[in-house]
Amino acid sequence: MRGHEQTAGDHPTTSHPTPRYNFSMTNKELADTLVLIADLLEIKGESFFKTNAYRKAAESLLNLSQDARSIWEQGELESIDGVGKAISEKIGELLETGELGFLNRLKAEVPESLATLMRIPDLGPKKVKLFWEQLGITELDQLEQAARSSQLAELPGMGEKSQARVLAGIEALKRRPTGRMPLGEVWDFAQAQLAFLRGLSGVTAAETAGSLRRMRDTVGDLDILAAAAESEPVMEAFVGQGMVAHVEGRGPTKTSVEFSNGLRAQLWVHPPERFGTALQYATGSKDHNVRVREHALAQGYSLSEHALTREDGSEILCATEEEVYAAIGLPYIPPEMREDRGEVPAAMKNALPQLIETGDIVAELHCHSTWSDGRGTMREMVEAALSRGRKVITISDHSYSLGIANGLQVERLEEQRKEIDALRVEYEGRIKILHGTEMEIRADGGLDFPDEVLAWLDIVVASLHVGMRQPGEQVTARMLNAICNPHVDIIGHPTNRLLPDRAGSDLEMEAIFQAALEHGTVLEINANPQRMDLNDIHARRALELGIPLAINTDAHAPEHLDLLHFGVSVAQRAWATPEQVINAWPVEKLLGWLRARG
Ligand code: DGT
Ligand code: CA
Ligand code: ZN
């Protein structure tokens, strides 16, 4: 909890963290250890195949809903996804002794601090090894020194530009807010916590609050609220879960814990009749709450997490948030809008937009199949879209210059069309199947397909996956070239950021927006929670200028179609209405728009 006003009743019972075991490694610590092994092996020059096995296992550990220790005690470590015999033995040794002989020997060969250098965006193991072997660099500040004194530029395969990129990467690493987790990585865990709390006797409601409820793309910690007449049994059950690694503070209204996966959370328990004010308070944002309290005061109420209080001291209790906003004369403000970006003044004028919702989306306009790097066949993707109620599905596999994704040449596009035509006959009247491409915007600025091929396709998504670290001017020019092509309908994941670490390309966003507006090119909100690209700020700017957006899952497997709501939340945070999102347009309007673009 940062910068919190200490309210009465916070954490009076314990002041020290209480570890559950004398000696224990959490899932997070185990995962970090496996990632360290992967990093050091990679610097040593081990194969991707081997190092990736450690990374996969680490990821599985973070996604566990149980403590790895209890799985180990049952002898079931190998039931964890990606954990085979060798890795399970290592986890066992770590859990038993807190040490790992294999890792100790590895550290003797490759200095552990080199793993920190691997955290620098866009710096790979080969470069780290080069700096270490040639210049003896093992620490971040040594690397920065070497870059500033131009020593890196002299090394084989480096040069001025690469050196500048290393420096920019170091800056980015230093700027990075520590410890924030991508929304998509904590989402399922948060839902499981809600289900757990809702299942407890005496709990009448449970909701997430804080940044997760507002759907910020990263969250610092988890805030969870439960409504119950008696808080003690709820708190007891909460801290008694196997996944709780430490209890950091415990009180009647609020308990703070750290889970085994490294996530910190606070549970607030309030009586059901006060749940509305409590949820409104804990949802934030802090700045939104300041505005709402100001407005409440102007109406003669003081608003706290416990109640609205009149000037004579009498209380108005609110069981729901709707009642809170109504009591102070405001329409309900959806959590996604509560960032103090003008929503309170807009609410006062009754001028909040009618926000788009996931249920408004009828068309998926960017998906992959086994024809390139997807895991689902075209039929499986169509079935998945149909079962989720979509009326339009697009197969837009990668184009040929993205070799690692098995991109398609024109001949394979033509073969693919035959299969699509057959599916179209079969699914006639049930779902519309569009044949598209995710066309590479190449590093040299060219596009993979000539205009006649693009005109023949139903829809063209143009994206950039290589050369994203080119100087701003160059990478912006490539994007503009794609935006200005009359056959390009949508720009996919426009900035190329990856959460939490990879910053987007150094784009001149205002130039991108102006060109998109002029050429009628739609910008994507990629719903994959690693991307959420455009982000909320950029999406809002695009909408202000009158640029329509597309919300696409970019599904590489049937179940990825369920990630749509992450993209919708970005649009909601950008105040988007259904009219501003082409996936929500009536199908005939969408198809007419596509035909008109050629
Ligand atoms: P995070 O965790 O950094 O992603 O961001 P939040 O928004 O979840 O913030 P957090 O966890 O510090 O606090 C949860 C909520 O509690 C926050 O959204 C609003 C409320 N809150 C936090 N600090 C303050 C404060 O200093 N004053 C007031 N009025 N409310 C606060
Ligand atoms: Ca929080
Ligand atoms: Zn894609």
Side-chain angles (χ1 to χ4, degrees), residues 366-368 396 398 438 463 465 493 526 554-556:
H366 176 182
C367 277
H368 299 270
S396 55
H398 291 285
E438 180 176 17
S463 323
H465 301 90
H493 45 76
N526 191 292
D554 193 1
H556 282 69

Side-chain angles (χ1 to χ4, degrees), residues 2-5 180 210-211 214 220-221 223 281-284 293:
R2 286 173 295 281
H4 221 106
E5 303 150 1
R180 297 193 69 84
S211 50
R214 303 196 311 278
D221 63 9
D223 301 280
Y281 172 85
T283 298
R293 277 200 305 268

Side-chain angles (χ1 to χ4, degrees), residues 269-556:
V269 180
H270 287 268
E273 65 276 15
R274 296 178 188 269
F275 191 65
T277 39
L279 183 58
Q280 197 284 328
Y281 172 85
T283 298
S285 67
K286 211 173 125 191
D287 293 339
H288 170 85
N289 286 354
V290 168
R291 289 262 177 246
V292 170
R293 277 200 305 268
E294 277 170 9
H295 176 77
L297 273 179
Q299 317 279 306
Y301 303 108
S302 87
L303 174 60
S304 77
E305 63 182 307
H306 303 289
L308 275 161
T309 309
R310 296 189 190 89
E311 275 155 7
D312 65 8
S314 62
E315 286 185 332
I316 303 174
L317 305 189
C318 300
T320 66
E321 273 190 327
E322 283 78 1
E323 293 167 43
V324 178
Y325 286 98
I328 56 176
L330 294 180
Y332 181 73
I333 304 178
E336 291 81 2
M337 295 184 73
R338 300 184 198 169
E339 296 290 351
D340 189 26
R341 294 177 184 160
E343 71 280 6
V344 175
M348 286 162 66
K349 286 184 280 181
N350 210 4
L352 290 175
Q354 190 60 47
L355 285 192
I356 184 156
E357 288 174 17
T358 304
D360 295 328
I361 304 282
V362 296
E364 173 59 60
L365 301 173
H366 176 182
C367 277
H368 299 270
S369 74
T370 45
W371 281 75
S372 66
D373 61 349
R375 275 195 283 113
T377 62
M378 293 202 290
R379 176 186 298 280
E380 285 165 344
M381 298 308 289
V382 170
E383 281 292 335
L386 191 61
S387 71
R388 286 162 178 80
R390 310 276 220 281
K391 296 182 178 146
V392 176
I393 170 89
T394 304
I395 303 293
S396 55
D397 279 304
H398 291 285
S399 63
Y400 63 86
S401 70
L402 202 61
I404 58 162
N406 191 27
L408 276 64
Q409 295 274 7
V410 178
E411 297 72 48
R412 286 186 65 224
L413 272 180
E414 284 168 351
E415 279 174 55
Q416 189 181 36
R417 172 63 63 89
K418 288 184 202 144
E419 211 176 288
I420 287 180
D421 281 338
L423 286 170
R424 279 172 171 160
V425 172
E426 195 181 329
Y427 286 91
E428 173 81 55
R430 290 192 284 163
I431 187 167
K432 184 93 194 160
I433 307 169
L434 298 181
H435 189 196
T437 176
E438 180 176 17
M439 178 176 61
E440 216 32 45
I441 302 171
R442 293 195 307 247
D444 63 10
L447 300 172
D448 263 3
F449 297 124
D451 284 358
E452 58 272 22
V453 174
L454 298 182
W456 168 79
L457 287 161
D458 300 323
I459 183 165
V460 177
V461 179
S463 323
L464 179 158
H465 301 90
V466 293
M468 61 191 107
R469 288 285 160 254
Q470 289 174 349
E473 218 167 289
Q474 196 178 351
V475 68
T476 302
R478 285 163 66 199
M479 290 290 275
L480 293 179
N481 179 41
I483 292 170
C484 299
N485 183 303
H487 300 288
V488 170
D489 303 303
I490 299 174
I491 300 295
H493 45 76
T495 76
N496 291 300
R497 72 159 177 175
L498 283 186
L499 293 166
D501 290 344
R502 191 173 90 190
S505 294
D506 185 15
L507 292 168
E508 184 57 62
M509 286 310 286
E510 210 52 31
I512 303 277
F513 292 143
Q514 292 303 335
L517 185 61
E518 184 180 335
H519 295 274
T521 313
V522 166
L523 301 178
E524 180 179 80
I525 294 174
N526 191 292
N528 187 304
Q530 278 198 306
R531 292 195 182 272
M532 297 176 94
D533 177 13
L534 297 176
N535 69 16
D536 52 353
I537 305 277
H538 286 146
R540 180 134 186 229
R541 175 70 184 144
L543 292 176
E544 275 168 7
L545 290 169
I547 302 164
L549 300 176
I551 307 174
N552 293 323
T553 64
D554 193 1
H556 282 69

